Amino acid sequence: MTRSVLTSLSSWSLTGKARREVAHRPLSAALMVGLALASMPNSAFAFRAINKLEVVPAGQNQFEVIGRAGAFKPDYWCAAGDYTRRSLGLSWQTKIYAVDGIGASITTGARSAVRFTLDPVAAGVTPFDGNWTGDILTPGYALRANSAYGKCEDWIFPFRRRN
């Protein structure tokens, strides 16, 4: 900057009404940010799992894992297990049930999402009682939080060498 501009800036001062308006700007800005955050949808407060998938609450005792391009079925379980442990703070032994397979999101409008629940009765899901399934996202299929989080092994140990 030139010397004349610096001199004019240093001699500039606020008086009267202008000083009061500037003093209230930070308060009004903070109020506006607070109102904007309060009006944001649930997806704005999403939990980001270790594998970078987002998890958002989706009703009573349900949550939804939002997929991304290239996500596989175990990735959805990984995010569900991570959310159950780190965000909800529940036990490793907590059972997580799939409510539906990969489909459109009910909370964000994303094209690929999976809903999970901790209470299958409240979600209207019959717990899967078969011995084997070819689809780990069959409605009612359950994993404990530790098994679901175990699907994150590529994210937990990224430099592990496989034979």
Side-chain angles (χ1 to χ4, degrees), residues 15 18 64 73 122 137 154 158 163:
T15 58
E64 194 170 51
K73 292 178 181 182
L137 291 176
D154 290 341
N163 294 338

Side-chain angles (χ1 to χ4, degrees), residues 96-113:
I96 306 167
Y97 296 86
V99 174
D100 53 15
I102 298 173
S105 169
I106 61 168
T107 58
T108 65
R111 287 198 284 172
S112 61

Side-chain angles (χ1 to χ4, degrees), residues 132-154:
W132 184 86
T133 182
D135 184 5
I136 60 174
L137 291 176
T138 299
Y141 186 76
L143 287 177
R144 295 197 187 276
N146 61 353
S147 295
Y149 188 74
K151 306 286 184 195
C152 302
E153 65 181 340
D154 290 341

Side-chain angles (χ1 to χ4, degrees), residues 27-142:
L27 179 61
S28 61
L31 181 62
M32 293 303 290
V33 168
L35 289 173
L37 286 175
S39 66
M40 291 179 125
N42 280 344
S43 62
F45 300 106
F47 170 81
R48 186 166 303 268
I50 190 172
N51 63 356
K52 309 287 191 273
L53 293 184
E54 290 188 351
V55 183
V56 293
Q60 191 70 13
N61 293 324
Q62 292 186 23
F63 55 92
E64 194 170 51
V65 177
I66 310 301
R68 68 175 189 300
F72 296 108
K73 292 178 181 182
D75 293 331
Y76 292 95
W77 279 107
C78 165
D82 194 21
Y83 175 75
T84 302
R85 277 298 292 156
R86 287 197 303 141
S87 183
L88 299 179
L90 298 174
S91 164
W92 284 112
Q93 299 305 313
T94 303
K95 273 192 153 182
I96 306 167
Y97 296 86
V99 174
D100 53 15
I102 298 173
S105 169
I106 61 168
T107 58
T108 65
R111 287 198 284 172
S112 61
V114 177
R115 278 185 302 148
F116 293 94
T117 186
L118 303 176
D119 185 4
V121 175
V125 176
T126 305
F128 183 77
D129 60 355
N131 291 331
W132 184 86
T133 182
D135 184 5
I136 60 174
L137 291 176
T138 299
Y141 186 76

